[in-house]
Amino acid sequence: MINQPIDPFFRRLFIVVGMVIAIYLLYLMLPVITPFVVAFVLAYLFNPLVRRLSKYLKRWVAIIIVYSTITLGMALLLWWLIPTLWYQLQAAWEYLPKVLSWYNQVVREWFVSNTPMRLPRLESKEFSDTLVDYMQTNYKFSDASTLMSQVIASSMIFINNAGLIVLVPILTFYFLFNWDKRLHTWKMALPAPYCERIIHIAQECDRALMAFIKGQLLVMVLLGVIYAVQLQLIGLELGLIIGMVAGIASFVPYLGFGIGFIAAIIACLFQFGLDWTYLALVVGAFLVGQAAEGYVLQPLLLGDKIGLSPLWVIFAVLAGASLLGFVGMLIALPVSAVLNVLFRHLYAYYRSTDFYKGRKQLLLFPKK
């Protein structure tokens, strides 16, 4: 029997169809894959701590100690944070009458005096009625049965999400427990001629990524403390929550400053009115925070971990937001740190080629 070779066209078509089917299946399984991805990222972040402790203890004991320490730290943080945030949120809710009064007396009057527009006057009761009408119109709470069905559907979604949240620590434990074995398996699967080079590049990416993540987390915490302390000293009632949000949002460049600055100015106007002294103090607080971030925190804690200019940083954040939305903004800089390492190695390889050195040229216009 003669073996007939497969036509290259059908071979490529088979590969393309297989890739499309695989991508479609991954898309359908995205809710299942997501907790595994989250668990892998958490295991990657916790592995250095577990590795250090496992030198003196069994690995599973080290994992439990890391879990217990993180859980205790989060519990203490929430124990201190929740009452404070509750007070801040109550203060924010009490600002609603002030917001409506400012709108009616300042914004509406300015439009009436300077433009032909006639904005409606808002009152607290009318605002509540409008909110109820909006909920009934958009969420169709026309009767009790519809309301109950909506509540049950929301409850099922919450239960599913809660199940996935509970699953993440379990998956993280198994990832951490067999981390070194998996790394060894992946290492043995690499092609022998390129194994050393691939491991060297992977280690360099790992160092850049871990240094960036650790430094960025410290910058977020310290910057949030700087903003919150300054706003509290100024006397801004919402200073704590605004400062914390600004510090957390600083993971995305310029986002934390923008959100915190706008929120602090609005809160200052509602609390103190058009008082230029307090406005200047708020502006000065954020200028101090930006100076501390740019000249102290980032140089000391981050240094040149990414190696990208501010223009490329802004481009990376905008590109990540365009591709994956808010998640893309969060992962834009860590991914850029890895891509920067890969690009440097690719550029070094390019400069070592005969094409770069002029020994071999690409004939774009061959002689006839």
Side-chain angles (χ1 to χ4, degrees):
M1 184 176 180
I2 301 175
N3 292 327
Q4 295 291 337
I6 301 176
D7 188 276
F9 171 77
F10 290 104
R11 179 179 297 175
R12 297 189 186 99
L13 180 62
F14 177 77
I15 294 174
V16 170
V17 171
M19 292 176 62
V20 171
I21 293 175
I23 293 173
Y24 181 67
L25 290 176
L26 288 176
Y27 173 75
L28 294 178
M29 295 175 61
L30 190 60
V32 178
I33 296 174
T34 300
F36 284 84
V37 174
V38 174
F40 178 81
V41 173
L42 292 176
Y44 173 75
L45 295 175
F46 297 157
N47 185 62
L49 295 175
V50 174
R51 181 178 297 169
R52 291 181 182 179
L53 289 175
S54 60
K55 295 179 181 179
Y56 312 100
L57 303 168
K58 292 184 178 181
R59 190 169 180 86
W60 65 270
V61 177
I63 296 173
I64 292 176
I65 291 176
V66 171
Y67 268 39
S68 303
T69 304
I70 294 174
T71 303
L72 179 61
M74 292 181 63
L76 292 175
L77 180 63
L78 292 175
W79 178 74
W80 168 78
L81 194 59
I82 288 178
T84 307
L85 285 179
W86 180 249
Y87 169 76
Q88 298 275 306
L89 290 174
Q90 285 181 321
W93 179 253
E94 292 174 357
Y95 274 121
L96 180 59
K98 296 182 181 180
V99 173
L100 297 179
S101 176
W102 178 76
Y103 164 80
N104 292 325
Q105 297 177 6
V106 178
V107 177
R108 183 175 176 275
E109 293 299 328
W110 186 90
F111 274 93
V112 170
S113 302
N114 298 278
T115 68
M117 296 179 61
R118 295 296 181 265
L119 297 178
R121 186 177 183 85
L122 296 179
E123 301 295 340
S124 298
K125 185 178 184 305
E126 295 177 358
F127 184 79
S128 301
D129 294 340
T130 303
L131 181 61
V132 172
D133 292 338
Y134 174 82
M135 295 291 290
Q136 290 178 345
T137 302
N138 291 273
Y139 294 95
K140 300 179 180 179
F141 294 153
S142 57
D143 50 40
S145 61
T146 305
L147 176 61
M148 288 303 298
S149 62
Q150 292 281 349
V151 170
I152 292 173
S154 301
S155 301
M156 292 303 297
I157 294 174
F158 174 78
I159 291 172
N160 291 333
N161 292 333
L164 294 178
I165 293 174
V166 172
L167 184 62
V168 167
I170 299 174
L171 296 175
T172 304
F173 179 88
Y174 284 111
F175 274 123
L176 283 171
F177 189 74
N178 296 316
W179 187 269
D180 293 333
K181 293 181 179 179
R182 286 191 177 89
L183 285 183
H184 180 72
T185 302
W186 295 343
K187 178 181 177 181
M188 298 304 296
L190 296 174
Y194 310 107
C195 181
E196 184 177 353
R197 186 65 175 171
I198 293 174
I199 291 176
H200 174 72
I201 295 175
Q203 289 175 343
E204 192 170 337
C205 291
D206 174 67
R207 287 193 295 268
L209 190 58
M210 289 301 297
F212 168 75
I213 292 175
K214 293 176 184 177
Q216 186 62 54
L217 289 176
L218 286 175
V219 169
M220 289 165 53
V221 172
L222 294 177
L223 191 60
V225 170
I226 291 173
Y227 283 140
V229 169
Q230 290 185 105
L231 295 177
Q232 289 290 102
L233 291 176
I234 291 172
L236 199 64
E237 293 181 3
L238 300 178
L240 178 63
I241 190 170
I242 292 175
M244 290 175 55
V245 170
I248 295 172
S250 65
F251 187 85
V252 179
Y254 315 111
L255 180 64
F257 172 80
I259 292 177
F261 182 77
I262 295 173
I265 291 294
I266 294 174
C268 183
L269 288 174
F270 291 152
Q271 183 174 345
F272 303 111
L274 194 60
D275 191 316
W276 294 105
T277 301
Y278 282 102
L279 288 175
L281 288 174
V282 170
V283 172
F286 278 87
L287 291 178
V288 170
Q290 280 295 100
E293 180 185 11
Y295 296 103
V296 180
L297 298 179
Q298 286 191 348
L300 290 178
L301 300 176
L302 285 176
D304 192 20
K305 300 300 186 295
I306 303 181
L308 298 177
S309 67
L311 289 176
W312 280 109
V313 169
I314 296 174
F315 173 79
V317 173
L318 294 178
S322 176
L323 294 173
L324 297 173
F326 182 72
V327 176
M329 295 176 67
L330 293 179
I331 66 174
L333 292 184
V335 171
S336 298
V338 174
L339 292 179
N340 183 56
V341 173
L342 298 178
F343 176 77
R344 285 193 286 106
H345 283 275
L346 181 62
Y347 181 68
Y349 170 75
Y350 162 71
R351 296 194 62 180
S352 67
T353 60
D354 292 336
F355 175 77
Y356 173 80
K357 296 178 181 179
R359 299 171 186 168
K360 184 186 297 183
Q361 296 297 326
L362 180 64
L363 297 179
L364 298 178
F365 304 101
K367 296 180 180 180
K368 296 184 180 179

